[in-house]
Amino acid sequence: MIYQRKAYERLLQWKQQQGRTSMLIEGARRVGKSVLAEEFGRREYARCLLIDFSEAPTEVFDLFLHQRHDTNSFFRYLFAFYAFQPVERDTLIIFDEVQFCPQARAFTKQLVKDGRYDYIETGSLVSIQSNVKDILIPSEEESLELNPFDFDEFLWAMNEKPLADLIQDCYRHKKPLPDALHRKAERLFREYMLVGGMPQAIHAYITDNSFMSADQVKRSILRLYRRDIEKYGAIEAKNIAAIFDEIPAQLSRHEKRFRLSSLKKGARYQTYQTAFFWLADARLINPCYRSTDPSIGLGMNMEQSAVKCYMADTGLLITHAFSDGTITADSIYRDILFGKIGLNEGMIVENIVAQQFKASGHKLFYFTKPDEETRKSRIEIDFLLPEPYENAAGHYRISPIEVKSGKRYSTASLDKMKTIYGKHIGTEYVLAPKPFASQGDRVQVPLYMSGIL
């Protein structure tokens, strides 16, 4: 079950630096970190040693605790224990699940300086206090965030790389796909929304051609996440679980901003701030914060307590939404696929766009402006992205983005946004299940192209 990942190219670039840093691959559990690291080691090095700290014996932990003063002795004992023969300057050593041995992560500073071998670490929850306590994070460590499969990677796994390339080419040349291929891309994107981007779920779907098989995998992943919350959430476990369980209900609301009052009357953000951080660090959610000023430097005007809490994987969101049953029937998935069931499609579509933006490296911000008389939102913009604006000599402007789940829609918020904040606004985007089209500064982009923005 080896699928092509975009992160592989990033690892190749790192390897060309010839051992000047270690590489930490971060990501949610079951997102494919270990598989990527092992495949990279197998293909790009003469020898590869994987040390899995989630199951390593005490003797291995003792080496990292007591032999760091002498790298020669450390290597002799380590290689003898694993009966491993390295090739100098052509060996990769993988510290898998490094969060279970923080001392190994700190030790990479000396190992990189030693220069004989290359090092990749993989881990989840690597930033929580218990996993960085009493260690110095090495400055020689780079990091790579591995997200669930984006739509390109899903198409590659489905043997649809020519279609993926055509979608990229059409966006680059600002033209729509031919009708038949547009319909095919839309169908595959809807399948991607339902299956999600977790490698095991995709593999189950491809192997069995069954949404139900993918659903079984996703339920096992959600159970794993719940166990992690109970085991590693410490005193915040109750709050973390409460937020996690509430995500589908919150996203099904029109505004989608997470309302803490649904958890407890009078709840304040300060009480749950650590829980939100834990979920974000575990890569279980993609938080999207309200920016109070739609201008360059969105993070400087971020209202942290006004957050939309998207799930990191949309396929998991759908299974999570139906978690009251032991399994989600294949027929329910197909009804969702063909729009025959009353699930809030806006929730799914907005979540998948957030997922694509996150995979493309964007930080997530939204914007609302209430009417001063009614106090209801007069402007609601789903996402804000800074990007070069052609009509401003390539200088950065803010691109407001509205996400539509249906083919009929209005653009009242975009119209008002341009009128009020014109000098800050660049290209305006409407992401909808319709072909590519543009008129002036406004561009209609099919949902399957959202990852290209």
Side-chain angles (χ1 to χ4, degrees):
M1 188 184 69
I2 305 298
Y3 296 116
Q4 184 180 354
R5 302 300 305 268
K6 292 179 179 179
Y8 196 97
E9 291 300 317
R10 174 72 179 86
L11 292 178
L12 285 175
Q13 294 170 9
W14 165 77
K15 185 177 186 293
Q16 291 170 2
Q17 297 174 356
Q18 299 181 335
R20 288 178 293 194
T21 61
S22 61
M23 174 62 79
L24 171 66
I25 304 177
E26 300 180 72
R29 297 254 263 156
R30 302 288 179 87
V31 82
K33 302 182 298 296
S34 302
V35 171
L36 174 64
E38 286 189 85
E39 178 68 3
F40 184 73
R42 184 184 67 81
R43 292 177 58 180
E44 306 299 335
Y45 290 85
R47 302 300 309 277
C48 178
L49 172 64
L50 183 138
I51 303 169
D52 185 351
F53 288 112
S54 69
E55 56 184 33
T58 302
E59 293 85 349
V60 172
F61 282 88
D62 286 344
L63 286 177
F64 287 91
L65 289 172
H66 305 302
Q67 294 295 330
R68 288 184 290 171
H69 64 284
D70 183 351
T71 54
N72 289 322
S73 296
F74 170 81
F75 285 131
R76 281 199 302 271
Y77 296 147
L78 182 71
F79 296 150
F81 184 87
Y82 284 100
F84 180 79
Q85 291 186 334
V87 176
E88 195 164 307
R89 293 308 316 143
D90 202 10
T91 291
L92 177 67
I93 300 177
I94 301 171
F95 295 161
D96 198 26
E97 303 291 359
V98 74
Q99 73 271 14
F100 294 115
C101 187
Q103 294 80 8
R105 186 181 179 191
F107 190 28
T108 57
K109 180 180 179 68
Q110 295 166 251
L111 296 177
V112 168
K113 185 177 180 180
D114 174 80
R116 278 176 272 187
Y117 314 112
D118 289 351
Y119 304 90
I120 286 180
E121 310 146 78
T122 77
S124 306
L125 294 167
V126 295
S127 299
I128 62 172
Q129 188 174 0
S130 61
N131 288 337
V132 294
K133 185 180 179 181
D134 300 327
I135 72 165
L136 180 67
I137 305 300
S139 58
E140 293 79 5
E141 177 188 270
E142 294 184 49
S143 64
L144 182 160
E145 183 172 0
L146 189 65
N147 295 290
F149 280 42
D150 66 12
F151 186 48
D152 277 342
E153 292 170 323
F154 178 79
L155 289 178
W156 298 346
M158 296 282 286
N159 289 321
E160 293 284 357
K161 192 174 188 303
L163 179 59
D165 292 342
L166 180 63
I167 290 171
Q168 293 278 344
D169 186 68
C170 285
Y171 182 83
R172 189 163 49 248
H173 291 94
K174 309 301 180 189
K175 63 180 183 181
L177 267 69
D179 289 345
L181 291 173
H182 168 73
R183 290 192 295 271
K184 180 179 181 180
E186 280 202 317
R187 174 180 57 79
L188 286 166
F189 190 74
R190 289 184 70 84
E191 290 181 29
Y192 167 63
M193 286 196 299
L194 297 175
V195 174
M198 303 304 282
Q200 290 175 312
I202 291 173
H203 181 69
Y205 179 67
I206 292 173
T207 302
D208 299 336
N209 191 29
S210 166
F211 288 113
M212 197 156 58
S213 294
D215 188 76
Q216 290 175 325
V217 171
K218 289 186 290 177
R219 285 177 181 270
S220 70
I221 294 173
L222 288 172
R223 287 193 294 270
L224 174 65
Y225 289 171
R226 291 181 184 281
R227 289 197 296 269
D228 283 349
I229 291 171
E230 293 172 3
K231 187 174 182 179
Y232 305 114
I235 62 174
E236 291 293 330
K238 186 176 180 180
N239 287 345
I240 296 167
I243 293 171
F244 188 70
D245 288 341
E246 186 66 15
I247 290 174
Q250 294 285 331
L251 290 178
S252 66
R253 297 170 60 249
H254 169 73
E255 189 183 18
K256 296 181 177 59
R257 173 181 168 179
F258 200 101
R259 295 288 184 183
L260 289 172
S261 58
S262 64
L263 303 180
K264 186 178 181 181
K265 187 177 181 180
R268 300 178 64 84
Y269 179 75
Q270 288 80 357
T271 305
Y272 291 88
Q273 186 173 8
T274 302
F276 278 111
F277 171 79
W278 194 99
L279 286 165
D281 186 61
R283 304 309 196 270
L284 303 191
I285 64 170
N286 290 328
C288 179
Y289 299 102
R290 180 175 179 257
S291 181
T292 57
D293 182 11
S295 58
I296 299 302
L298 294 170
M300 295 188 293
N301 302 296
M302 180 176 71
E303 188 179 349
Q304 201 166 29
S305 60
V307 60
K308 295 180 182 181
C309 199
Y310 298 110
M311 280 195 70
D313 182 71
T314 307
L316 290 179
L317 171 64
I318 290 174
T319 298
H320 193 16
F322 286 98
S323 59
D324 50 340
T326 56
I327 194 166
T328 308
D330 206 62
S331 59
I332 293 178
Y333 270 101
R334 297 197 180 278
D335 285 346
I336 297 171
L337 182 67
F338 295 109
K340 297 179 180 179
I341 195 170
L343 184 68
N344 186 333
E345 194 158 325
M347 168 183 76
I348 303 173
V349 170
E350 202 167 310
N351 200 94
I352 197 71
V353 170
Q355 182 177 335
Q356 297 305 287
F357 285 172
K358 182 66 163 52
S360 298
H362 296 300
K363 294 182 178 180
L364 303 181
F365 298 96
Y366 73 97
F367 181 78
T368 61
K369 183 177 177 62
D371 185 282
E372 294 181 0
E373 294 182 2
T374 65
R375 305 308 300 169
K376 294 182 178 180
S377 293
R378 180 168 53 140
I379 299 177
E380 297 180 8
I381 301 297
D382 298 316
F383 298 100
L384 301 174
L385 295 184
E387 64 173 10
Y389 181 43
E390 190 176 276
N391 292 338
H395 295 295
Y396 275 76
R397 295 290 185 269
I398 297 299
S399 289
I401 298 169
E402 285 201 57
V403 180
K404 308 295 183 181
S405 59
K407 295 184 178 181
R408 294 184 178 182
Y409 56 80
S410 67
T411 58
S413 287
L414 281 181
D415 298 337
K416 295 172 184 175
M417 190 83 169
K418 190 72 168 180
T419 300
I420 298 173
Y421 301 100
K423 65 179 182 179
H424 298 298
I425 303 303
T427 306
E428 307 161 287
Y429 293 100
V430 179
L431 300 182
K434 298 183 72 174
F436 185 95
S438 63
Q439 184 175 7
D441 285 338
R442 186 162 298 176
V443 183
Q444 175 182 279
V445 179
L447 291 165
Y448 55 77
M449 288 184 176
S450 55
I452 311 176
L453 267 64

